[in-house]
Amino acid sequence: MAATHDAKPTSRVLWVDRFLTLIRIAFVVLISVGLIAFIAQQIDPQNPLARWLNPDATGLTAPQFKGLLVTGLAQGAMYGLIALGYSMVYGVLGFINFAHGEVFMVGAMSGMITSNKLADAGLWEDAFLFSLLFVVVTSITISTATAVIMERIAYRPLRGSPRLIPLITSIGVSFFLQNMSVVLLGPGAKSYPSLPSWLSQKRSVIGFEIEGTKLVVLLTAAVSMAGLWFLVERTRTGKAMRAVAEDKEIAALMGIDVNRTIVTTFAVGGAMAGVAGILWGILFRSVIHTTGFLPGIKAFSAAVVGGIGNLGGAMAGGLSLGAAEATAPLVLLEPLGVDGVSQLRDAVAFAVLIFVLLVRPSGLFGERLSDEDRA
Amino acid sequence: MTATSDNLSMLEAPGINWRRQIRFALVGGLSSAFIALAGMPVGLDGRNIIRPILSMGYLALLWVPFVFASLAGSVVILEGMTERERDAKDLAAGALVGLGSSSGLILLMILIQNFNLRDPLVNWSPQLLNLLSFDRSIGLGMLLWLILGTTLGLLGGAMHVVPGKVRSRILAVALAVFAVSVLETFLTDLLEGFGLEVLTDFVYYKRGGLEVLGAVVVAALTLMIPLMVGSKIKDIKTRVVEMPNEERRRVNLLLLTVCAALMLVLPFFLGKITNELLANVGLFVLLALGLNIVVGLAGILDLGYVAFFAVGGYTTAVLTSPNSPGFSPELPWPVALIVVVVLTGIVGLFIGAPVIRMRGDYLAIVTLGFGEIIRLLFLSDWLSGWFGGAQGITNIPGVDVGIGTVKGTDPRSVFLLVLVFCAIAIYVSWRLEHSRLGRAWMAIREDEDVAEAMGVNTTNTKLMAFVVGAVLASFSGAIFSAKVGSIFPTSFLMLVSIIILVVVIVGGMGNIVGVIVGALVLIGVLGGPKQPGLLQEFSQFKLLIYGALLVWMMLKRPEGLVPNVRRTRELHQEEFLQDAWLKGEIDTDDHEDSP
């Protein structure tokens, strides 16, 4: 090491940097080759380029592609709602609340319990809208309570400690909540009662055939997003939240109750996760104790993709991540001749995270963090 | 902390905070009800601690009033404070907390009797009600809980009234009886190996648990032994500490050799089950030692550590198994191991290089992503021509070592093999910790920017941690696949990474002894992700306990059970500074600057 010091004092390009550049190039090449092959196969499946990469290529029809996109966007909207919680907590406290995915799971579970109880009482069919409202309200309450209690017990005592300490703690909380669901409610998947047919039938909206449930998911996400935007940008509470995110000490000096603001942040994030939990129930009608894990990680990825601390970015990141993971296996990987592409959906989501962090670590729409959190 | 340094010596710890007591009582009640609804009393009732009196199921409830009362009464004595005189009020406070804890159960009994919530809550059953009412009438059960809770709370409160020496004796006795009961399988096996069945027959009941007489004997021994040999041990200790360095090193070396020799002989005196158990513990010790280098020394939180375990296992399987679907050279295990080490090192570089520049927390999530990607690739149809997809790779031969074959059907040989590799890993970790590289790792852990300014090449150093950790995990993976004989993607869930992390953190980050203790306590007693531990009944609760333990450790004792001195100082820097400030060792101005 000493020898290289005086040889080239100005050059600080390490082999790691070269390697990273190689990885970036490889990513871009893979994406472009996949896209070109996809376009080639769409033009003509017998196209020599398409046949060379994947002899069994069949191509996608327009309705298939639209269907994939809508599925991806509906899931992405859900990821976006969860991502808001990650993003807000990261913005305010500067750590990844790993257990946020479990708050979402708790929301989905409590929705399952109340909706099944209502279905037993016969109200689910008779007064669907009323029961749905009831389910949504209880589920939001419970997930909000979970988030707030979590903050009080596990995170508040750790404020000001090195940032990995609360992260490790949140992993423990996540583990605990997951297994709490197992021991209290039993292992195994549990299902939501069936939805009325008018809700799940397909409707055509601007040229897309969308199932009613997915429409509900997209609309709910839009409404929640608008509500959150109003809360953060137009109310005193939101102003306090932004101030605390910027600088806790100065916010406290300005007369803002920092503790209360942090609790509010957790509560709002928990409420969003509760809504997302119900949407999960409506989309998939099945919930299990590990439901929160993958969507949680993906939602965090979405928050990073959109730029952490940036609420609009979290939603946009969620939508793009959802769309990418739904379409990329068939658009990018199938033309390359990869077998069983749908199994690689989750791998695609992680690959998107890694790619974004390598190419643009501050996210697509720029992160909004105070200097101390960014360090 | 409003007091100035002049009147500090007069400051007395505050009196009983009744709001705190009530809060503890409420939390105790909720915890008791939660434990009951989690199914612990019913699920663990089959395991006896002391045969007719106490089962694990009841113990799961009975510790609550005692521990909560004792916790509620404890006061942090800050530097310069004198402890307050304890009196009968403390007993009353303890009794109150105990009463609160047991009233949670009483409320639950009333609810179970009158409502049926069996549908969402699986443990809401008449069985639980029966158990809670001690198989008698419900009213009597409630009364008993009332008395039990209050008495145990009183005892918990009394822990602060009695002198410290008595308190530690009582705790030692309770712990010893519990430990002897929990370690039953192990101790029976060990004593049988030495031909001392008489002893086990005397102490243990035929179908598990201590006999009352056995418990009394254990308690008496715990009280007697320190009285008889305590002072002698102290003498020897001071003598060793006072020895010149040269001589002390020799004594340490002698002790180490004796321990190593004992460990090597131990497998021959143990039965199949215990050997199997210890072999599993050993595999986790290997993994935890590897993660200890990454997390404990270099301070990089790697949540995808299982990836290296998986790569090690799968590479061994592909290279040695005749059933490997794609490429099947059927190499002997030792040759395969060399390839495994090189390959895992390269994978460590490949995973490490992209993440090494990221912020610590992003790095954690991205490594987690890599861990999942690797598992998904092993599982996928795309690569099933190589790794068998969900069917995995079967028929992996054992390790041929000349005199015999090491494979899963012979746990003793596996344990011996694991021991050898553990010894290597311990030696490597120990030497690395005190090497230039180890110091560089610790410098990075404490402050990366400062380390860089001091001339540490942070990128290369951190990558080295990744590679060394990966290689240690690959040892474990290689032994694992030879031991089990077949390998499936389900053995490499993210869960495994987290469990290894819990082992490292509970044991003590950055401390080799701590990591080994952590693995023994957690994997040995509670069990690994799939491997049962000594408390087999706990298998459905162990993950819950791991989660709770992780949170509790981070909150109360982030340095772990067996702490690393330097790491402790880093974690409690503020408290140390505060103490020093109160003692007047540093100027008040300095305190402002401390982070």
Side-chain angles (χ1 to χ4, degrees), chain A residues 115-139:
Chain A
S115 59
N116 274 323
K117 285 282 168 205
L118 286 170
D120 286 347
L123 281 169
W124 184 257
E125 284 90 20
D126 298 343
F128 177 72
L129 284 179
F130 165 76
S131 351
L132 190 64
L133 188 73
F134 182 75
V135 168
V136 169
V137 169
T138 40
S139 166

Side-chain angles (χ1 to χ4, degrees), chain A residues 234-248:
Chain A
R234 287 283 179 275
T235 62
R236 278 179 76 87
T237 324
K239 212 177 212 176
M241 278 160 73
R242 280 178 287 142
V244 171
E246 195 64 40
D247 193 320
K248 277 188 268 309

Side-chain angles (χ1 to χ4, degrees), chain A residues 15-17 19-20 90 96 154 163 168-169 171 173 175 179-180 183-185 293 308 338 343 357 367 374, chain B residues 34 120-123 353-354 357 359 361-362 366 380-382 459-460 494-495 505 543-544 551 554-555:
Chain A
W15 67 270
V16 178
D17 298 297
F19 181 72
L20 287 184
Y90 201 102
I96 301 172
R163 83 166 63 213
I168 296 174
T169 314
I171 294 172
V173 174
F175 227 59
N179 291 290
M180 192 173 95
V183 294
L184 288 183
L185 307 174
F293 172 64
I308 205 144
V338 175
Q343 292 170 332
L357 281 177
E367 54 186 9
R374 194 170 287 141
Chain B
F34 171 69
L121 297 167
V122 282
N123 291 304
R357 295 282 174 76
R359 264 182 231 153
D361 43 2
Y362 279 20
V366 173
S380 68
D381 287 348
W382 178 38
T459 313
N460 284 358
M494 206 246 350
L495 189 80
I505 284 173
L543 296 179
L544 185 79
V551 177
M554 287 332 276
L555 288 177

Side-chain angles (χ1 to χ4, degrees), chain B residues 578-591:
Chain B
Q578 235 161 38
D579 281 358
W581 173 66
L582 283 167
K583 279 187 215 157
E585 281 170 9
I586 46 174
D587 279 341
T588 38
D589 298 339
D590 285 354
H591 181 247

Side-chain angles (χ1 to χ4, degrees), chain A:
Chain A
M1 270 221 299
T4 54
H5 255 290
D6 36 30
K8 258 195 206 169
T10 47
S11 156
R12 294 294 296 157
V13 182
L14 295 169
W15 67 270
V16 178
D17 298 297
R18 302 226 171 86
F19 181 72
L20 287 184
T21 319
L22 269 182
I23 293 182
R24 288 188 194 111
I25 293 171
F27 255 116
V28 173
V29 167
L30 186 80
I31 293 173
S32 0
V33 171
L35 265 182
I36 292 170
F38 175 68
I39 294 167
Q41 127 194 331
Q42 285 309 106
I43 295 169
D44 175 14
Q46 302 306 318
N47 191 317
L49 175 66
R51 288 193 66 81
W52 172 59
L53 285 165
N54 181 7
D56 311 321
T58 49
L60 287 172
T61 59
Q64 270 176 338
F65 184 76
K66 281 180 184 167
L68 278 178
L69 196 64
V70 168
T71 313
L73 286 178
Q75 278 201 46
M78 212 166 54
Y79 296 153
L81 280 181
I82 309 171
L84 293 171
Y86 280 104
S87 206
M88 286 196 299
V89 169
Y90 201 102
V92 170
L93 286 176
F95 82 95
I96 301 172
N97 179 12
F98 200 83
H100 190 65
E102 264 52 57
V103 175
F104 157 74
M105 182 273 290
V106 167
M109 277 285 176
S110 42
M112 183 276 296
I113 293 170
T114 38
S115 59
N116 274 323
K117 285 282 168 205
L118 286 170
D120 286 347
L123 281 169
W124 184 257
E125 284 90 20
D126 298 343
F128 177 72
L129 284 179
F130 165 76
S131 351
L132 190 64
L133 188 73
F134 182 75
V135 168
V136 169
V137 169
T138 40
S139 166
I140 287 179
T141 317
I142 291 177
S143 53
T144 308
T146 312
V148 169
I149 293 171
M150 186 163 87
E151 192 272 339
R152 182 69 196 83
I153 294 178
Y155 304 144
R156 195 177 296 179
L158 291 174
R159 218 167 287 158
S161 48
R163 83 166 63 213
L164 286 186
I165 303 278
L167 173 59
I168 296 174
T169 314
S170 69
I171 294 172
V173 174
S174 145
F175 227 59
F176 182 80
L177 286 176
Q178 250 182 49
N179 291 290
M180 192 173 95
S181 153
V182 176
V183 294
L184 288 183
L185 307 174
K190 293 155 195 66
S191 51
Y192 271 66
S194 54
L195 299 167
S197 55
W198 59 264
L199 184 65
S200 37
Q201 71 186 217
K202 287 197 174 187
R203 285 145 212 274
S204 77
V205 180
I206 44 168
F208 283 84
E209 285 281 308
I210 305 182
E211 281 168 50
T213 46
K214 286 171 189 162
L215 207 59
V216 169
V217 171
L218 287 169
L219 284 178
T220 317
V223 171
S224 321
M225 188 64 219
L228 186 71
W229 178 84
F230 182 79
L231 176 77
V232 173
E233 300 290 336
R234 287 283 179 275
T235 62
R236 278 179 76 87
T237 324
K239 212 177 212 176
M241 278 160 73
R242 280 178 287 142
V244 171
E246 195 64 40
D247 193 320
K248 277 188 268 309
E249 275 173 30
I250 293 184
L253 289 177
M254 294 294 142
I256 293 170
D257 186 342
V258 175
N259 269 338
R260 227 181 84 191
T261 312
I262 290 174
V263 170
T264 318
T265 312
F266 270 89
V268 174
M272 290 292 161
V275 173
I278 296 294
L279 294 184
W280 172 278
I282 290 176
L283 263 187
F284 300 105
R285 290 199 30 233
S286 162
V287 52
I288 190 170
H289 62 278
T290 48
T291 291
F293 172 64
L294 271 182
I297 303 291
K298 286 180 189 168
F300 174 72
S301 309
V304 173
V305 167
I308 205 144
N310 180 341
L311 297 186
M315 201 24 119
L319 289 173
S320 29
L321 189 76
E325 85 168 8
T327 53
L330 285 164
V331 172
L332 292 181
L333 296 178
E334 174 99 4
L336 289 176
V338 175
D339 293 333
V341 281
S342 52
Q343 292 170 332
L344 296 176
R345 274 175 43 129
D346 299 335
V348 166
F350 292 123
V352 169
L353 172 68
I354 295 166
F355 179 65
V356 169
L357 281 177
L358 280 179
V359 176
R360 204 178 143 82
S362 59
L364 298 180
F365 305 94
E367 54 186 9
R368 288 192 199 148
L369 289 179
S370 60
D371 291 337
E372 55 177 325
D373 288 339
R374 194 170 287 141

